[in-house]
Amino acid sequence: MDWGTDLWDQYDIIDKHTQSGLELVEKYVKFVKERTEIEQNYAKQLRNLTKKYNPKRGCKEEQECRFSNHQSFLDILNEMNDYAGQRELIAENMMMNICIELTKYLQELKMERKTHLLEAKKAQQSLESTYKQLDSSKKRFEREWREADKAAQYAEKTDQDINATKADVEKAKQQANMRTHIAEESKNDYAAQLQNYNKEQSQFYFSDMPLIFNKLQDMDERRVRKLAQGYVLFSDTEKHVMPIIGKCLEGVTKAGTNVNERNDSIALIEQHKSGFERPGDLDFEDYSQGINRASSDSSLGILGTPKGPLELLGKNRSKPFWLFSKKSKPTVTEDFGHLPPEQRRKRLQQKLDDIGKELQKEVDQSEALEKMKDVYEKNPQMGDPASLSPQINQTAQNMERLRGELNKYESWLTEAGRRGDSMLRRDTLREDALSFRSHSFNNNGSTHEPYSPDGTHSEEGTPDPSQAIYAEFDDDFEEEEEELVAPIGQCTAMYNFPGASEGTITMQEGEVLSVVEEDKGDGWTRVRRANGNEGYIPTSYVSISLSK
């Protein structure tokens, strides 16, 4: 069944149906657009919500994030922010895959429908024009036939009239014959026009219009199919991001399960434990015996005892320590003496770790500069050694300053009752011990004077507290240095390298060596020969292939 056969006489119905189908597409596009606006507004509100409840940098809430319940809340905020991103993705995909695509397709359908309707209109006009010609020839034939009939009757009447002359009779007969001839011609013309019209009418109803109607049917079916795909995309677009949305929701669930109330309590203790002893009993002050009013020697914070909460909080020694009293903010000092003992030790340890890291950076930079200077001295064409002197001097000064600070904070940590013994501190001191031995001389060859714990220069022969610490790890270094590091790749020499300076190794063009340590940005790579000899070579002299 098709429109051209079964709906050959329903042009108006087909016209309205196709127009209604296009309007439905427009309506669906508007519906999806409004849905995308809802998704975008929803995502925007979610992002604003997460931003509102995210702690600002440096605020009190950010410091509370060390507790699992606070951190889990931040994790939930992050997951909701990701969830908002997925809602935005849904809106974007719907706009791109449905709205834009259907709008573009709708314009094509409108142009196609307009073309088919114009073809139908032209066919209708052609048929109407043929019919007008037929009607005209028919009327002419009718008119000419009446005239011919009148002429024949007049000729016959004239022939029977006894008063008419022979010339009048001949003239009437000629006129009748002429009219009859014209009538015959108009008859033939009418017959031809009728045949032509019947042919065009058959072509119009059995060929032209069915073809146009079938084209409109095909166009409408394609529209319906495309619209159905749009319906499916409306669901698939959201299904596509459902796994990621599910992960976001799983992240929220995981954040809830990660909360550990016991660990939060322990974290609070570690963060705020003062290390003070509880206040002792107050002694009885007998004014009846004339004893001067004074605080008991057993009161908290008297006779050279470590600073207690009374001193730290600015309390009068004669007054008891009230647990719920409002505490004034203490003055911050460099040695963290304003903190309780436990917190002071932690802050000093953290400061020592930070200084150790800074010192290691300066040591690495100094080693790189020394290697570069040595290469410049051996190969002047590569650069001027004197140009590195300002950087070397500045690095040496920074190292001396950091060593002084290191000794100072070490003495404060010792005073606080515990030496720093974290693994990070141990590693830092090991590396500093090596750097101390290798960089004990500056550019002029003078020995750096060691610093005393208070930051001043110590006298010659006075033992430096840090030296014992450095010596403590010497044996460990020797054991570690004996261990061979596994190679991480190979390199092939592109040029000869003499390796005349200390720490370098000779190299011949084409020689294959094992890479032990990558270039750290100073232009040198550590390599090893098959016989176990190790040293540094210029990175630009070799072609390196690292193992994956």
Side-chain angles (χ1 to χ4, degrees), residues 257-458:
T257 57
N258 286 342
V259 175
N260 189 311
E261 62 278 6
R262 183 60 182 169
N263 289 346
D264 286 358
S265 298
I266 295 174
L268 183 66
I269 294 172
E270 292 293 330
Q271 182 177 353
H272 298 288
K273 181 180 178 182
S274 65
F276 292 132
E277 295 293 335
R278 292 179 177 82
D281 296 337
L282 295 177
D283 290 342
F284 176 75
E285 299 177 6
D286 192 356
Y287 291 99
S288 63
Q289 300 298 325
I291 300 176
N292 293 331
R293 184 172 183 176
S295 299
S296 174
D297 289 348
S298 63
S299 298
L300 182 65
I302 300 179
L303 298 179
T305 58
K307 292 182 179 180
L310 298 184
E311 289 83 350
L312 293 173
L313 302 175
K315 298 291 183 181
N316 191 320
R317 293 184 181 183
S318 62
K319 296 181 180 180
F321 172 66
W322 299 115
L323 189 62
F324 300 103
S325 61
K326 188 176 181 180
K327 301 175 179 62
S328 60
K329 190 174 181 180
T331 303
V332 180
T333 57
E334 184 183 5
D335 63 350
F336 304 112
H338 63 288
L339 297 175
E342 189 73 19
Q343 302 304 318
R344 184 189 181 199
R345 285 194 293 270
K346 291 181 180 180
R347 292 296 297 275
L348 287 172
Q349 182 63 57
Q350 182 181 358
K351 188 69 176 178
L352 282 170
D353 292 341
D354 294 341
I355 295 175
K357 291 178 182 179
E358 292 182 21
L359 180 59
Q360 184 57 43
K361 290 181 181 179
E362 296 294 334
V363 169
D364 292 340
Q365 184 176 359
S366 177
E367 290 178 352
L369 291 172
E370 290 292 344
K371 291 178 184 178
M372 192 176 297
K373 180 181 177 182
D374 192 22
V375 172
Y376 287 175
E377 290 175 350
K378 300 297 182 181
N379 304 280
Q381 71 275 9
M382 297 182 67
D384 183 12
S387 62
L388 301 176
S389 296
Q391 300 181 44
I392 293 176
N393 292 334
Q394 182 63 42
T395 304
Q397 293 176 9
N398 292 341
M399 290 169 60
E400 289 301 324
R401 175 180 58 79
L402 292 172
R403 289 192 182 100
E405 292 184 3
L406 191 68
N407 294 333
K408 180 170 60 176
Y409 280 95
E410 280 285 359
S411 64
W412 286 337
L413 183 59
T414 304
E415 178 188 345
R418 181 173 63 87
R419 301 291 294 181
D421 55 355
S422 67
M423 290 305 296
L424 179 60
R425 175 68 186 137
R426 179 181 178 90
D427 294 340
T428 304
L429 290 176
R430 284 182 177 179
E431 295 170 353
D432 191 40
L434 283 177
S435 64
F436 186 83
R437 293 197 299 268
S438 61
H439 295 277
S440 60
F441 294 92
N442 60 14
N443 292 340
N444 297 326
S446 61
T447 305
H448 296 300
E449 295 182 1
Y451 281 84
S452 61
D454 59 356
T456 60
H457 290 282
S458 61

